[in-house]
Amino acid sequence: MKRLFCILLVVMLLVLCGCNATPQETTASTETVNSGPNPKEDDVMNILMVGNSFCYYYVEELYGIAKAAGIDMRVCNVYYSGCTLEMHYNWWKNGESNYSFYVTDENGRNKTADCNLEYCFQQGDWDVISFQEGYGIKSADDLKNIDAFLATSNTYLDALVGRARELFPNAEFYWHQSWAYEIGYDGSQRKMKSKEQQEISHNFIKEFSLRVCQEQNLKRIPSGEAWHLVRHDPLINGTLCYRLNKNNGLGDFYHEGDSGGGQYL
């Protein structure tokens, strides 16, 4: 266990230091987070993550890691399972209350059901707001259409990010890069049958994330890079994958690491 923990720390350092950092990427450290005077009434960093389960399953660890580093956070998640940018946009435009709003702070994790996006926006003076896509990749052919996918996504992000910036002009805005599905997932809507296809999917997600950050002036949270490094490390490989718990009736092939180490990574 000690060895695995050490490996995790090395992987995290590789992600932060070796992912071809650009002005759109984040390589935040405790020094950058805490530098300079804080104009707010308190020292709590308020974070809002708009996405789906790729955010939902990981926000609890973020709070604990920050707390251990001496940073007080209030980590909030606008959640609906499998939600895409198109769904976020349409629900925001129509004022639909389909979300669960999760708050993770010193009081634990609490949920408010049946919320709309405007309600979630109004629940804090946000310092950081991130967006994330469900991708909806169904076949290898979808992976070739990045330009069309980007154009459509930008249409939705122009409105969503624009609204968030209007409300919170001093916030920092991020894109949360997710990861390719685990090999073996062969559901009715998505296929991931080979390592080659997984690599193509990863490259698509990375390229899309870099381009959307450039075009929307967002910083990148490279979670997908961390998983890519882990998959190529023979000492770690599948040991963090959620699918290893399938014998317990838990798990699938895309919410990797939902039982501990993967969340931390």
Side-chain angles (χ1 to χ4, degrees):
M1 191 68 187
K2 182 178 180 181
R3 183 182 185 187
L4 177 58
F5 178 75
C6 292
I7 294 171
L8 282 172
L9 291 179
V10 171
V11 171
M12 288 180 69
L13 289 172
L14 287 171
V15 172
L16 292 176
C17 301
C19 289
N20 299 321
T22 70
Q24 288 74 42
E25 296 183 46
T26 175
T27 54
S29 65
T30 54
E31 288 81 7
T32 57
V33 169
N34 291 323
S35 63
N38 192 329
K40 301 192 305 175
E41 295 181 358
D42 56 45
D43 292 326
V44 177
M45 179 180 292
N46 290 287
I47 297 177
L48 181 68
M49 306 176 78
V50 181
N52 52 45
S53 57
F54 281 92
C55 296
Y56 166 83
Y57 284 103
Y58 302 96
V59 294
E60 288 180 295
E61 294 297 333
L62 175 60
Y63 172 81
I65 291 170
K67 191 70 174 179
I71 302 169
D72 289 325
M73 278 188 180
R74 179 171 173 260
V75 186
C76 302
N77 181 213
V78 182
Y79 167 76
Y80 186 89
S81 178
C83 204
T84 63
L85 287 176
E86 181 179 13
M87 294 165 68
H88 286 303
Y89 170 78
N90 287 331
W91 291 351
W92 166 71
K93 186 176 180 181
N94 297 322
E96 297 184 40
S97 299
N98 298 323
Y99 296 109
S100 294
F101 182 70
Y102 288 89
V103 177
T104 305
D105 58 15
E106 60 185 4
N107 299 313
R109 191 175 197 180
N110 296 288
K111 171 186 174 181
T112 302
D114 302 323
C115 302
N116 61 49
L117 187 55
E118 285 291 331
Y119 169 87
C120 298
F121 278 151
Q122 298 298 334
Q123 297 311 299
D125 183 13
W126 305 111
D127 302 294
V128 173
I129 300 176
S130 73
F131 293 88
Q132 174 253 319
E133 170 66 293
Y135 294 101
I137 299 169
K138 298 180 181 179
S139 69
D141 290 337
D142 291 339
L143 301 175
K144 301 174 184 178
N145 299 324
I146 188 169
D147 290 330
F149 190 70
L150 185 67
T152 302
S153 298
N154 273 327
T155 299
Y156 306 133
L157 283 171
D158 285 344
L160 294 170
V161 177
R163 176 56 176 164
R165 283 196 166 111
E166 177 185 353
L167 293 171
F168 306 100
N170 296 321
E172 292 187 1
F173 292 86
Y174 287 80
W175 179 260
H176 178 197
Q177 177 188 335
S178 58
W179 47 92
Y181 298 128
E182 180 66 13
I183 297 171
Y185 183 62
D186 190 11
S188 60
Q189 294 188 358
R190 297 180 178 90
K191 310 288 184 182
M192 191 60 60
K193 295 182 177 180
S194 68
K195 190 173 185 64
E196 180 183 11
Q197 189 176 17
Q198 186 185 66
E199 191 78 14
I200 293 172
S201 183
H202 166 74
N203 290 334
F204 174 93
I205 294 170
K206 179 178 180 179
E207 177 65 18
F208 174 84
S209 299
L210 289 170
R211 290 177 61 179
V212 82
C213 284
Q214 183 178 25
E215 296 186 22
Q216 293 292 334
N217 192 25
L218 305 173
K219 299 179 181 179
R220 184 170 66 116
I221 303 173
S223 302
E225 298 300 308
W227 275 109
H228 191 65
L229 288 172
V230 165
R231 284 168 170 162
H232 289 78
D233 190 318
L235 295 178
I236 304 178
N237 198 13
T239 59
L240 303 181
C241 294
Y242 190 34
R243 65 186 174 88
L244 295 181
N245 296 320
K246 285 186 74 64
N247 292 334
N248 299 325
L250 299 173
D252 49 41
F253 287 79
Y254 49 99
H255 295 121
E256 296 185 81
D258 185 40
S259 58
Q263 284 190 344
Y264 182 81
L265 174 67

